[in-house]
PDB file of all heavy atoms in Angstrom:
ATOM      1  N   ALA L   1       0.667   1.076 -10.338  1.00 96.00           N
ATOM      2  CA  ALA L   1       0.287   0.018  -9.348  1.00 96.00           C
ATOM      3  C   ALA L   1      -0.449   0.688  -8.212  1.00 96.00           C
ATOM      4  O   ALA L   1      -0.218   1.888  -7.892  1.00 96.00           O
ATOM      5  CB  ALA L   1       1.535  -0.695  -8.809  1.00 96.00           C
ATOM      6  N   PHE L   2      -1.362  -0.048  -7.578  1.00 97.00           N
ATOM      7  CA  PHE L   2      -2.093   0.440  -6.429  1.00 97.00           C
ATOM      8  C   PHE L   2      -1.739  -0.391  -5.219  1.00 97.00           C
ATOM      9  O   PHE L   2      -1.800  -1.645  -5.260  1.00 97.00           O
ATOM     10  CB  PHE L   2      -3.612   0.409  -6.667  1.00 97.00           C
ATOM     11  CG  PHE L   2      -4.058   1.435  -7.724  1.00 97.00           C
ATOM     12  CD1 PHE L   2      -4.274   1.075  -9.026  1.00 97.00           C
ATOM     13  CD2 PHE L   2      -4.232   2.765  -7.338  1.00 97.00           C
ATOM     14  CE1 PHE L   2      -4.662   2.008  -9.962  1.00 97.00           C
ATOM     15  CE2 PHE L   2      -4.637   3.701  -8.277  1.00 97.00           C
ATOM     16  CZ  PHE L   2      -4.856   3.331  -9.607  1.00 97.00           C
ATOM     17  N   LEU L   3      -1.353   0.283  -4.170  1.00 97.00           N
ATOM     18  CA  LEU L   3      -1.026  -0.376  -2.934  1.00 97.00           C
ATOM     19  C   LEU L   3      -2.224  -0.340  -1.991  1.00 97.00           C
ATOM     20  O   LEU L   3      -2.767   0.734  -1.704  1.00 97.00           O
ATOM     21  CB  LEU L   3       0.160   0.324  -2.239  1.00 97.00           C
ATOM     22  CG  LEU L   3       1.426   0.611  -3.077  1.00 97.00           C
ATOM     23  CD1 LEU L   3       2.453   1.311  -2.218  1.00 97.00           C
ATOM     24  CD2 LEU L   3       1.957  -0.640  -3.658  1.00 97.00           C
ATOM     25  N   TYR L   4      -2.679  -1.495  -1.588  1.00 97.00           N
ATOM     26  CA  TYR L   4      -3.773  -1.594  -0.608  1.00 97.00           C
ATOM     27  C   TYR L   4      -3.136  -1.804   0.769  1.00 97.00           C
ATOM     28  O   TYR L   4      -2.546  -2.859   1.031  1.00 97.00           O
ATOM     29  CB  TYR L   4      -4.721  -2.735  -0.986  1.00 97.00           C
ATOM     30  CG  TYR L   4      -5.516  -2.455  -2.253  1.00 97.00           C
ATOM     31  CD1 TYR L   4      -4.930  -2.590  -3.501  1.00 97.00           C
ATOM     32  CD2 TYR L   4      -6.820  -1.982  -2.176  1.00 97.00           C
ATOM     33  CE1 TYR L   4      -5.652  -2.291  -4.681  1.00 97.00           C
ATOM     34  CE2 TYR L   4      -7.552  -1.688  -3.343  1.00 97.00           C
ATOM     35  CZ  TYR L   4      -6.961  -1.848  -4.571  1.00 97.00           C
ATOM     36  OH  TYR L   4      -7.662  -1.528  -5.711  1.00 97.00           O
ATOM     37  N   CYS L   5      -3.266  -0.793   1.601  1.00 97.00           N
ATOM     38  CA  CYS L   5      -2.542  -0.782   2.867  1.00 97.00           C
ATOM     39  C   CYS L   5      -3.523  -0.712   4.044  1.00 97.00           C
ATOM     40  O   CYS L   5      -4.688  -0.362   3.864  1.00 97.00           O
ATOM     41  CB  CYS L   5      -1.620   0.426   2.942  1.00 97.00           C
ATOM     42  SG  CYS L   5      -0.538   0.664   1.507  1.00 97.00           S
ATOM     43  N   VAL L   6      -3.018  -1.046   5.232  1.00 96.00           N
ATOM     44  CA  VAL L   6      -3.784  -0.849   6.454  1.00 96.00           C
ATOM     45  C   VAL L   6      -2.952   0.032   7.362  1.00 96.00           C
ATOM     46  O   VAL L   6      -1.790  -0.282   7.646  1.00 96.00           O
ATOM     47  CB  VAL L   6      -4.100  -2.185   7.152  1.00 96.00           C
ATOM     48  CG1 VAL L   6      -4.762  -1.961   8.514  1.00 96.00           C
ATOM     49  CG2 VAL L   6      -4.999  -3.055   6.276  1.00 96.00           C
ATOM     50  N   ALA L   7      -3.535   1.132   7.829  1.00 94.00           N
ATOM     51  CA  ALA L   7      -2.857   2.058   8.723  1.00 94.00           C
ATOM     52  C   ALA L   7      -2.574   1.390  10.067  1.00 94.00           C
ATOM     53  O   ALA L   7      -3.397   0.629  10.573  1.00 94.00           O
ATOM     54  CB  ALA L   7      -3.667   3.322   8.943  1.00 94.00           C
ATOM     55  N   ASP L   8      -1.384   1.637  10.597  1.00 93.00           N
ATOM     56  CA  ASP L   8      -0.995   1.023  11.853  1.00 93.00           C
ATOM     57  C   ASP L   8      -1.993   1.364  12.951  1.00 93.00           C
ATOM     58  O   ASP L   8      -2.423   2.531  13.096  1.00 93.00           O
ATOM     59  CB  ASP L   8       0.389   1.514  12.248  1.00 93.00           C
ATOM     60  CG  ASP L   8       1.495   0.959  11.351  1.00 93.00           C
ATOM     61  OD1 ASP L   8       1.184   0.167  10.451  1.00 93.00           O
ATOM     62  OD2 ASP L   8       2.683   1.354  11.556  1.00 93.00           O
ATOM     63  N   GLY L   9      -2.399   0.347  13.714  1.00 88.00           N
ATOM     64  CA  GLY L   9      -3.320   0.549  14.827  1.00 88.00           C
ATOM     65  C   GLY L   9      -4.774   0.660  14.424  1.00 88.00           C
ATOM     66  O   GLY L   9      -5.615   0.966  15.272  1.00 88.00           O
ATOM     67  N   THR L  10      -5.084   0.430  13.137  1.00 90.00           N
ATOM     68  CA  THR L  10      -6.458   0.495  12.667  1.00 90.00           C
ATOM     69  C   THR L  10      -6.744  -0.703  11.764  1.00 90.00           C
ATOM     70  O   THR L  10      -5.854  -1.513  11.456  1.00 90.00           O
ATOM     71  CB  THR L  10      -6.718   1.782  11.821  1.00 90.00           C
ATOM     72  OG1 THR L  10      -6.142   1.633  10.527  1.00 90.00           O
ATOM     73  CG2 THR L  10      -6.124   3.005  12.474  1.00 90.00           C
ATOM     74  N   GLU L  11      -8.005  -0.810  11.335  1.00 89.00           N
ATOM     75  CA  GLU L  11      -8.386  -1.812  10.341  1.00 89.00           C
ATOM     76  C   GLU L  11      -8.807  -1.147   9.024  1.00 89.00           C
ATOM     77  O   GLU L  11      -9.363  -1.755   8.146  1.00 89.00           O
ATOM     78  CB  GLU L  11      -9.539  -2.677  10.857  1.00 89.00           C
ATOM     79  CG  GLU L  11      -9.156  -3.492  12.109  1.00 89.00           C
ATOM     80  CD  GLU L  11     -10.303  -4.384  12.596  1.00 89.00           C
ATOM     81  OE1 GLU L  11     -11.407  -4.302  12.012  1.00 89.00           O
ATOM     82  OE2 GLU L  11     -10.092  -5.158  13.536  1.00 89.00           O
ATOM     83  N   LYS L  12      -8.474   0.152   8.916  1.00 93.00           N
ATOM     84  CA  LYS L  12      -8.901   0.955   7.766  1.00 93.00           C
ATOM     85  C   LYS L  12      -8.013   0.656   6.556  1.00 93.00           C
ATOM     86  O   LYS L  12      -6.794   0.829   6.613  1.00 93.00           O
ATOM     87  CB  LYS L  12      -8.821   2.442   8.140  1.00 93.00           C
ATOM     88  CG  LYS L  12      -9.125   3.419   6.993  1.00 93.00           C
ATOM     89  CD  LYS L  12     -10.583   3.424   6.662  1.00 93.00           C
ATOM     90  CE  LYS L  12     -10.889   4.527   5.634  1.00 93.00           C
ATOM     91  NZ  LYS L  12     -12.318   4.516   5.220  1.00 93.00           N
ATOM     92  N   GLU L  13      -8.670   0.279   5.424  1.00 95.00           N
ATOM     93  CA  GLU L  13      -7.909   0.044   4.201  1.00 95.00           C
ATOM     94  C   GLU L  13      -7.676   1.394   3.505  1.00 95.00           C
ATOM     95  O   GLU L  13      -8.599   2.204   3.365  1.00 95.00           O
ATOM     96  CB  GLU L  13      -8.660  -0.898   3.266  1.00 95.00           C
ATOM     97  CG  GLU L  13      -7.911  -1.199   1.984  1.00 95.00           C
ATOM     98  CD  GLU L  13      -8.678  -2.125   1.027  1.00 95.00           C
ATOM     99  OE1 GLU L  13      -9.583  -1.648   0.327  1.00 95.00           O
ATOM    100  OE2 GLU L  13      -8.366  -3.311   1.023  1.00 95.00           O
ATOM    101  N   ILE L  14      -6.479   1.609   3.063  1.00 97.00           N
ATOM    102  CA  ILE L  14      -6.088   2.822   2.380  1.00 97.00           C
ATOM    103  C   ILE L  14      -5.436   2.447   1.057  1.00 97.00           C
ATOM    104  O   ILE L  14      -4.570   1.522   1.027  1.00 97.00           O
ATOM    105  CB  ILE L  14      -5.147   3.679   3.243  1.00 97.00           C
ATOM    106  CG1 ILE L  14      -5.849   4.055   4.545  1.00 97.00           C
ATOM    107  CG2 ILE L  14      -4.690   4.913   2.498  1.00 97.00           C
ATOM    108  CD1 ILE L  14      -4.927   4.692   5.542  1.00 97.00           C
ATOM    109  N   VAL L  15      -5.801   3.103  -0.004  1.00 98.00           N
ATOM    110  CA  VAL L  15      -5.270   2.811  -1.335  1.00 98.00           C
ATOM    111  C   VAL L  15      -4.343   3.951  -1.738  1.00 98.00           C
ATOM    112  O   VAL L  15      -4.700   5.109  -1.655  1.00 98.00           O
ATOM    113  CB  VAL L  15      -6.368   2.625  -2.381  1.00 98.00           C
ATOM    114  CG1 VAL L  15      -5.775   2.210  -3.743  1.00 98.00           C
ATOM    115  CG2 VAL L  15      -7.373   1.573  -1.905  1.00 98.00           C
ATOM    116  N   ALA L  16      -3.152   3.607  -2.227  1.00 98.00           N
ATOM    117  CA  ALA L  16      -2.202   4.592  -2.700  1.00 98.00           C
ATOM    118  C   ALA L  16      -1.652   4.180  -4.055  1.00 98.00           C
ATOM    119  O   ALA L  16      -1.394   2.990  -4.283  1.00 98.00           O
ATOM    120  CB  ALA L  16      -1.037   4.777  -1.719  1.00 98.00           C
ATOM    121  N   ARG L  17      -1.538   5.108  -4.954  1.00 97.00           N
ATOM    122  CA  ARG L  17      -1.014   4.833  -6.303  1.00 97.00           C
ATOM    123  C   ARG L  17       0.493   5.048  -6.325  1.00 97.00           C
ATOM    124  O   ARG L  17       1.026   5.968  -5.700  1.00 97.00           O
ATOM    125  CB  ARG L  17      -1.670   5.757  -7.329  1.00 97.00           C
ATOM    126  CG  ARG L  17      -1.194   5.524  -8.746  1.00 97.00           C
ATOM    127  CD  ARG L  17      -1.521   6.689  -9.629  1.00 97.00           C
ATOM    128  NE  ARG L  17      -0.943   6.558 -10.980  1.00 97.00           N
ATOM    129  CZ  ARG L  17       0.296   6.872 -11.297  1.00 97.00           C
ATOM    130  NH1 ARG L  17       1.109   7.342 -10.353  1.00 97.00           N
ATOM    131  NH2 ARG L  17       0.750   6.704 -12.515  1.00 97.00           N
ATOM    132  N   THR L  18       1.207   4.191  -7.063  1.00 96.00           N
ATOM    133  CA  THR L  18       2.618   4.356  -7.274  1.00 96.00           C
ATOM    134  C   THR L  18       2.944   3.989  -8.724  1.00 96.00           C
ATOM    135  O   THR L  18       2.050   3.566  -9.469  1.00 96.00           O
ATOM    136  CB  THR L  18       3.471   3.510  -6.285  1.00 96.00           C
ATOM    137  OG1 THR L  18       4.828   3.825  -6.417  1.00 96.00           O
ATOM    138  CG2 THR L  18       3.225   2.030  -6.528  1.00 96.00           C
ATOM    139  N   ASP L  19       4.192   4.150  -9.101  1.00 94.00           N
ATOM    140  CA  ASP L  19       4.599   3.798 -10.466  1.00 94.00           C
ATOM    141  C   ASP L  19       4.461   2.297 -10.679  1.00 94.00           C
ATOM    142  O   ASP L  19       4.529   1.504  -9.738  1.00 94.00           O
ATOM    143  CB  ASP L  19       6.044   4.224 -10.719  1.00 94.00           C
ATOM    144  CG  ASP L  19       6.189   5.758 -10.741  1.00 94.00           C
ATOM    145  OD1 ASP L  19       5.168   6.416 -11.026  1.00 94.00           O
ATOM    146  OD2 ASP L  19       7.287   6.236 -10.473  1.00 94.00           O
ATOM    147  N   GLY L  20       4.323   1.940 -11.962  1.00 92.00           N
ATOM    148  CA  GLY L  20       4.185   0.521 -12.308  1.00 92.00           C
ATOM    149  C   GLY L  20       5.450  -0.289 -11.980  1.00 92.00           C
ATOM    150  O   GLY L  20       6.529   0.289 -11.804  1.00 92.00           O
ATOM    151  N   LEU L  21       5.263  -1.586 -11.916  1.00 92.00           N
ATOM    152  CA  LEU L  21       6.379  -2.516 -11.598  1.00 92.00           C
ATOM    153  C   LEU L  21       7.032  -2.164 -10.264  1.00 92.00           C
ATOM    154  O   LEU L  21       8.239  -2.093 -10.106  1.00 92.00           O
ATOM    155  CB  LEU L  21       7.406  -2.535 -12.732  1.00 92.00           C
ATOM    156  CG  LEU L  21       6.853  -2.796 -14.138  1.00 92.00           C
ATOM    157  CD1 LEU L  21       7.968  -2.727 -15.179  1.00 92.00           C
ATOM    158  CD2 LEU L  21       6.101  -4.083 -14.206  1.00 92.00           C
ATOM    159  N   SER L  22       6.180  -1.890  -9.279  1.00 90.00           N
ATOM    160  CA  SER L  22       6.644  -1.469  -7.971  1.00 90.00           C
ATOM    161  C   SER L  22       7.408  -2.588  -7.259  1.00 90.00           C
ATOM    162  O   SER L  22       6.979  -3.786  -7.327  1.00 90.00           O
ATOM    163  CB  SER L  22       5.415  -1.066  -7.128  1.00 90.00           C
ATOM    164  OG  SER L  22       5.820  -0.854  -5.765  1.00 90.00           O
ATOM    165  N   PRO L  23       8.482  -2.264  -6.576  1.00 93.00           N
ATOM    166  CA  PRO L  23       9.197  -3.299  -5.822  1.00 93.00           C
ATOM    167  C   PRO L  23       8.506  -3.679  -4.511  1.00 93.00           C
ATOM    168  O   PRO L  23       8.899  -4.670  -3.862  1.00 93.00           O
ATOM    169  CB  PRO L  23      10.549  -2.621  -5.529  1.00 93.00           C
ATOM    170  CG  PRO L  23      10.247  -1.173  -5.504  1.00 93.00           C
ATOM    171  CD  PRO L  23       9.161  -0.967  -6.515  1.00 93.00           C
ATOM    172  N   LEU L  24       7.510  -2.907  -4.102  1.00 94.00           N
ATOM    173  CA  LEU L  24       6.808  -3.182  -2.856  1.00 94.00           C
ATOM    174  C   LEU L  24       5.977  -4.439  -2.929  1.00 94.00           C
ATOM    175  O   LEU L  24       5.404  -4.753  -3.948  1.00 94.00           O
ATOM    176  CB  LEU L  24       5.975  -1.977  -2.449  1.00 94.00           C
ATOM    177  CG  LEU L  24       6.712  -0.689  -2.104  1.00 94.00           C
ATOM    178  CD1 LEU L  24       5.772   0.511  -2.030  1.00 94.00           C
ATOM    179  CD2 LEU L  24       7.461  -0.879  -0.773  1.00 94.00           C
ATOM    180  N   ARG L  25       5.884  -5.124  -1.798  1.00 95.00           N
ATOM    181  CA  ARG L  25       5.151  -6.385  -1.704  1.00 95.00           C
ATOM    182  C   ARG L  25       4.344  -6.391  -0.408  1.00 95.00           C
ATOM    183  O   ARG L  25       4.545  -5.609   0.475  1.00 95.00           O
ATOM    184  CB  ARG L  25       6.092  -7.576  -1.760  1.00 95.00           C
ATOM    185  CG  ARG L  25       6.832  -7.761  -3.092  1.00 95.00           C
ATOM    186  CD  ARG L  25       5.850  -8.134  -4.205  1.00 95.00           C
ATOM    187  NE  ARG L  25       6.538  -8.292  -5.493  1.00 95.00           N
ATOM    188  CZ  ARG L  25       6.654  -7.359  -6.390  1.00 95.00           C
ATOM    189  NH1 ARG L  25       6.155  -6.146  -6.139  1.00 95.00           N
ATOM    190  NH2 ARG L  25       7.293  -7.563  -7.533  1.00 95.00           N
ATOM    191  N   GLY L  26       3.397  -7.354  -0.338  1.00 94.00           N
ATOM    192  CA  GLY L  26       2.601  -7.502   0.868  1.00 94.00           C
ATOM    193  C   GLY L  26       3.493  -7.683   2.098  1.00 94.00           C
ATOM    194  O   GLY L  26       4.475  -8.469   2.043  1.00 94.00           O
ATOM    195  N   GLY L  27       3.169  -6.986   3.199  1.00 95.00           N
ATOM    196  CA  GLY L  27       3.959  -7.077   4.412  1.00 95.00           C
ATOM    197  C   GLY L  27       4.966  -5.943   4.584  1.00 95.00           C
ATOM    198  O   GLY L  27       5.457  -5.726   5.666  1.00 95.00           O
ATOM    199  N   ASP L  28       5.257  -5.215   3.488  1.00 96.00           N
ATOM    200  CA  ASP L  28       6.184  -4.086   3.549  1.00 96.00           C
ATOM    201  C   ASP L  28       5.606  -2.949   4.364  1.00 96.00           C
ATOM    202  O   ASP L  28       4.399  -2.711   4.321  1.00 96.00           O
ATOM    203  CB  ASP L  28       6.581  -3.603   2.172  1.00 96.00           C
ATOM    204  CG  ASP L  28       7.458  -4.560   1.407  1.00 96.00           C
ATOM    205  OD1 ASP L  28       7.955  -5.526   2.048  1.00 96.00           O
ATOM    206  OD2 ASP L  28       7.687  -4.378   0.211  1.00 96.00           O
ATOM    207  N   LYS L  29       6.471  -2.245   5.067  1.00 96.00           N
ATOM    208  CA  LYS L  29       6.057  -1.064   5.846  1.00 96.00           C
ATOM    209  C   LYS L  29       6.280   0.197   4.997  1.00 96.00           C
ATOM    210  O   LYS L  29       7.343   0.355   4.359  1.00 96.00           O
ATOM    211  CB  LYS L  29       6.867  -0.953   7.149  1.00 96.00           C
ATOM    212  CG  LYS L  29       6.696  -2.119   8.091  1.00 96.00           C
ATOM    213  CD  LYS L  29       5.315  -2.175   8.687  1.00 96.00           C
ATOM    214  CE  LYS L  29       5.181  -3.264   9.734  1.00 96.00           C
ATOM    215  NZ  LYS L  29       3.821  -3.307  10.343  1.00 96.00           N
ATOM    216  N   VAL L  30       5.314   1.087   4.980  1.00 97.00           N
ATOM    217  CA  VAL L  30       5.429   2.352   4.245  1.00 97.00           C
ATOM    218  C   VAL L  30       4.893   3.473   5.094  1.00 97.00           C
ATOM    219  O   VAL L  30       4.222   3.270   6.085  1.00 97.00           O
ATOM    220  CB  VAL L  30       4.658   2.268   2.893  1.00 97.00           C
ATOM    221  CG1 VAL L  30       5.252   1.264   1.948  1.00 97.00           C
ATOM    222  CG2 VAL L  30       3.158   2.019   3.130  1.00 97.00           C
ATOM    223  N   SER L  31       5.236   4.697   4.688  1.00 97.00           N
ATOM    224  CA  SER L  31       4.620   5.893   5.275  1.00 97.00           C
ATOM    225  C   SER L  31       4.008   6.696   4.160  1.00 97.00           C
ATOM    226  O   SER L  31       4.664   7.039   3.172  1.00 97.00           O
ATOM    227  CB  SER L  31       5.701   6.726   6.007  1.00 97.00           C
ATOM    228  OG  SER L  31       5.117   7.781   6.761  1.00 97.00           O
TER     229      SER L  31
END
């Protein structure tokens, strides 16, 4: 799965790969 994230305090889109069937959803906070 690919997570399309926005870094805090920016409008920069960042893509991160994770294992399939990820429990993460839109709105979740990650580091």
Side-chain angles (χ1 to χ4, degrees):
F2 290 99
L3 309 180
Y4 290 79
C5 311
V6 174
D8 290 358
T10 76
E11 296 181 356
K12 175 73 173 177
E13 182 181 80
I14 299 171
V15 184
R17 180 197 175 278
T18 187
D19 293 336
L21 307 179
S22 171
L24 293 168
R25 295 291 179 267
D28 288 351
K29 299 291 186 179
V30 294
S31 188

